[in-house]
């Protein structure tokens, strides 16, 4: 690969990385806070657990498949939005917890 | 709308609860209904007939009410249900009381709505063992039912699997808890429950952490937990919600049951392995039946260091969740 293309690829990767946003979703009071999200492909979502008990966060969306497993108090897990399909995030333990993630 | 009956006037005088808390404990008057199956008297009455009609089973002996008996807390009071033939079902019969308020049905939550739930036990070989492909033509030969279906679901194609499920679900949605001594206490009648039960309620909320899962008016937040009833590698139906999809968080996890009328529905837990509320409370608040070697045990299930007398106080409180049986005319004659 020529130096020109290496430089171009590095610049594109840097640009994508610089424009990606991180959203923080806290699990508190058996609720995903702050609520529904609008994100873009490449963005990341950090799931926190501020409750005094374990939570979970997962989606069944195949192109954004994600499951944190048992998420203990204080633990953080990051997912990257890989596909332009919108999806729901639910807690496997507390099915009343649900947010919609709109991918723009 | 919340059920208040004649006790509304007591709301303002409650010394024990803030008004927001009172709302939390009162049952909404009607269970949520899907847009395509709103409750009507015709649908509920039809569903009731179907629920109690043994002709919906292959041998003509079992109805939905055989296991969900209104005189037995909408259960069958056995550890695991008697099945068609000589066998037994794999799990304890859950009460259908307030099931319409739950957002997941069955112990493992494998379906969301009562409409999705209604036909499963009819077809299950360990329950009513009646294939729907046989049942629907059979019911369509009963003119009385055809007429009732056409009246309850006009323009929906008559008596079909879909309308059968809708009718049964409509009746189940009306199976609800009544005003219990605890409700009267929550609404301000300080004499509705005794001192021991009041202490039990405080323990239930705080030290014992029961309310972490048994929350809100139905005393269930609809969550799924492995409470440590079995240790080691789980098999078969012990796997709980994990059977529906292999999520680590669902290994051995079962739905938190309602505690409304819990005094009427022994034995307890998904395997019906516990006969008394005292033992059930001791297990939940004592860290589970097995303290160790339980994969995926819920973080709620830890030893709360309760004394025997504290467990007794919690049980006294649980007894105050029993209300009078709902008014129900059980059908004895069925459409011909």
């Amino acid at each position: 690969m020529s130096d020109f293309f290496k430089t171009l690829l590095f610049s594109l990767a840097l640009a994508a990385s610089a424009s990606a946003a991180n959203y923080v979703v806290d699990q508190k009071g058996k609720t995903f806070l702050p609520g529904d999200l609008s994100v873009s492909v490449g963005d990341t979502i950090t799931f926190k657990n501020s409750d005094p008990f374990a939570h979970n966060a997962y989606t069944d969306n195949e192109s954004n498949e994600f499951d944190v497993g048992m998420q203990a108090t204080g633990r953080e897990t990051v997912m990257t939005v890989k596909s332009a399909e919108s999806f729901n995030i639910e807690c496997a333990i507390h099915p009343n917890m649900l947010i919609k993630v709109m991918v723009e | 709308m919340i059920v208040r009956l004649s006790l509304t006037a007591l709301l303002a005088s409650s010394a024990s609860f803030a008004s927001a808390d009172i709302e939390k404990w009162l049952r909404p008057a009607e269970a949520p209904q899907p847009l395509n199956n709103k409750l009507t008297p015709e649908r509920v009455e039809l569903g009731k007939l179907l629920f109690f009609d043994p002709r919906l089973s292959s041998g003509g002996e079992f109805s939905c009410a055989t296991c969900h008996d209104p005189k037995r807390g909408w259960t069958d009071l056995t550890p695991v249900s008697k099945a068609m033939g000589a066998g037994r079902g794999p799990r304890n019969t859950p009460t259908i009381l307030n099931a319409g308020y739950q957002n997941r049905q069955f112990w493992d939550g494998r379906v969301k709505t009562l409409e999705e739930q209604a036909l499963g036990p009819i077809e299950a070989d360990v329950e009513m063992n009646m294939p729907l492909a046989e049942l629907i033509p059979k019911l369509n030969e009963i003119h009385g039912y055809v007429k009732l279906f056409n009246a309850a679901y006009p323009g929906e194609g008559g008596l079909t699997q879909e309308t059968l499920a809708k009718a049964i679900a409509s009746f189940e949605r009306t199976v609800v808890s009544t005003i219990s001594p605890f409700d009267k206490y929550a609404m301000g009648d300080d004499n509705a429950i005794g001192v021991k039960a009041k202490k039990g309620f405080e323990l239930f909320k705080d030290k014992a952490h029961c309310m972490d899962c048994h929350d809100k008016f139905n005393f269930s937040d609809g969550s799924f937990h492995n409470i440590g009833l079995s240790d080691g590698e789980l098999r078969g139906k012990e796997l709980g919600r994990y059977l529906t999809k292999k999520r680590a968080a669902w290994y051995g996890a079962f739905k938190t049951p309602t505690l409304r009328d819990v005094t009427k529905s022994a034995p307890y837990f998904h395997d019906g392995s516990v006969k008394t509320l005292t033992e059930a409370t001791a297990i939940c608040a004592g860290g589970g039946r097995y303290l160790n070697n339980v994969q995926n045990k819920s973080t709620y299930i830890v030893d709360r260091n309760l004394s025997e007398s504290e467990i007794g106080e919690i049980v006294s409180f649980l007894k105050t969740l029993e209300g009078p049986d709902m008014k129900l005319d059980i059908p004895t004659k069925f459409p011909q």
Side-chain angles (χ1 to χ4, degrees):
Chain A
M1 188 183 292
S2 71
D3 287 347
F4 171 76
F5 281 112
K6 282 181 184 172
T7 306
L8 180 62
L9 282 174
F10 178 74
S11 303
L12 288 171
L14 198 63
S17 163
S19 62
N22 179 59
Y23 297 85
V24 176
V25 174
D26 196 3
Q27 298 171 90
K28 193 172 182 181
K30 296 183 188 173
T31 307
F32 287 117
L33 298 173
D36 295 347
L37 297 176
S38 292
V39 304
S40 301
V41 175
D43 288 349
T44 54
I45 305 172
T46 300
F47 291 92
K48 296 169 59 178
N49 179 7
S50 297
D51 269 332
F53 39 77
H55 275 298
N56 165 269
Y58 77 92
T59 177
D60 276 330
N61 180 278
E62 287 182 4
S63 52
N64 282 299
E65 196 160 8
F66 173 74
D67 187 341
V68 305
M70 257 322 189
Q71 186 170 24
T73 300
R75 200 181 117 200
E76 293 187 4
T77 310
V78 180
M79 79 169 285
T80 302
V81 179
K82 299 172 191 161
S83 153
E85 279 183 52
S86 296
F87 56 93
N88 292 340
I89 291 279
E90 298 177 58
C91 172
I93 301 166
H94 308 98
N96 291 335
M97 294 175 62
L98 184 148
I99 54 169
K100 293 178 179 176
V101 180
M102 275 72 73
V103 186
E104 295 164 344
Chain B
M1 186 190 293
I2 303 290
V3 174
R4 289 193 177 84
L5 302 183
S6 59
L7 295 159
T8 310
L10 293 172
L11 279 168
S13 65
S14 174
S16 306
F17 297 85
S19 59
D21 286 342
I22 297 170
E23 295 286 333
K24 172 178 170 174
W25 299 118
L26 300 184
R27 179 176 60 75
E30 285 192 345
Q33 301 149 38
L35 289 174
N36 68 355
N37 195 25
K38 292 291 183 185
L39 287 183
T40 66
E42 293 81 8
R43 292 172 180 181
V44 173
E45 192 59 28
L46 172 57
K48 184 169 75 173
L49 288 167
L50 294 162
F51 189 88
F52 286 93
D53 193 337
R55 291 175 294 179
L56 271 65
S57 66
S58 63
E61 297 173 6
F62 283 67
S63 69
C64 305
T66 302
C67 293
H68 299 288
D69 184 345
K71 294 175 181 171
R72 297 176 175 180
W74 298 97
T75 70
D76 52 8
L77 303 183
T78 60
V80 290
S81 312
K82 184 182 175 189
M84 297 293 294
R88 291 267 165 188
R91 289 180 183 153
N92 180 252
T93 301
T95 180
I96 61 163
L97 190 76
N98 293 339
Y101 296 88
Q102 298 176 343
N103 60 10
R104 293 275 173 185
Q105 305 298 331
F106 296 118
W107 275 108
D108 56 18
R110 60 186 179 272
V111 299
K112 289 184 177 178
T113 68
L114 289 174
E115 283 77 5
E116 293 173 282
Q117 174 275 334
L119 303 183
I122 294 175
E123 282 207 294
D125 58 359
V126 293
E127 296 184 58
M128 294 162 75
N129 194 29
M130 173 62 100
L132 292 170
E134 290 180 30
L135 178 60
I136 299 301
K138 180 182 168 185
L139 290 179
N140 267 297
E141 289 174 2
I142 302 172
H143 298 303
Y145 267 135
V146 172
K147 194 174 171 185
L148 290 172
F149 270 91
N150 286 333
Y153 294 99
E156 295 198 32
L159 199 170
T160 65
Q161 286 190 27
E162 187 179 6
T163 52
L164 175 66
K166 284 180 169 181
I168 295 173
S170 292
F171 169 66
E172 289 178 330
R173 235 168 233 121
T174 66
V175 176
V176 295
S177 54
T178 57
I179 297 288
S180 68
F182 171 77
D183 295 312
K184 294 176 184 175
Y185 173 61
M187 289 187 282
D189 180 355
D190 204 44
N191 297 317
I193 69 175
V195 173
K196 195 173 172 184
K198 288 175 187 171
K199 286 182 182 174
F201 181 49
E202 294 306 313
L203 290 164
F204 184 90
K205 288 189 294 183
D206 298 324
K207 182 178 178 182
H209 287 260
C210 309
M211 213 169 75
D212 286 353
C213 301
H214 294 287
D215 197 8
K216 301 182 181 173
F217 88 91
N218 204 26
F219 290 87
S220 168
D221 64 357
S223 54
F224 292 86
H225 305 280
N226 180 344
I227 62 170
L229 290 183
S230 305
D231 65 345
E233 186 177 346
L234 302 182
R235 291 179 184 163
K237 295 292 181 181
E238 289 180 324
L239 288 162
R241 190 144 172 68
Y242 192 75
L243 281 174
T244 68
K245 187 160 186 174
K246 290 183 171 44
R247 294 193 183 288
W250 288 346
Y251 190 81
F254 292 86
K255 188 172 66 180
T256 303
T258 179
L259 296 179
R260 288 281 177 182
D261 283 355
V262 68
T263 41
K264 301 177 184 176
S265 63
Y268 303 109
F269 300 137
H270 66 270
D271 56 2
S273 60
V274 171
K275 291 180 180 173
T276 68
L277 283 175
T278 300
E279 190 184 350
T281 305
I283 287 173
C284 285
R289 179 180 288 144
Y290 293 92
L291 299 180
N292 302 308
N293 195 25
V294 178
Q295 184 182 333
N296 189 44
K297 184 154 73 172
S298 169
T299 53
Y300 293 103
I301 302 297
V302 296
D303 189 355
R304 307 295 182 181
N305 296 308
L306 299 182
S307 67
E308 277 187 30
S309 97
E310 287 175 321
I311 289 171
E313 287 163 355
I314 291 174
V315 172
S316 290
F317 159 67
L318 295 176
K319 290 177 179 175
T320 71
L321 299 177
E322 178 182 325
D325 290 343
M326 62 177 268
K327 288 181 183 172
L328 178 72
D329 294 323
I330 295 175
T332 52
K333 293 181 180 175
F334 298 97
Q336 300 298 322

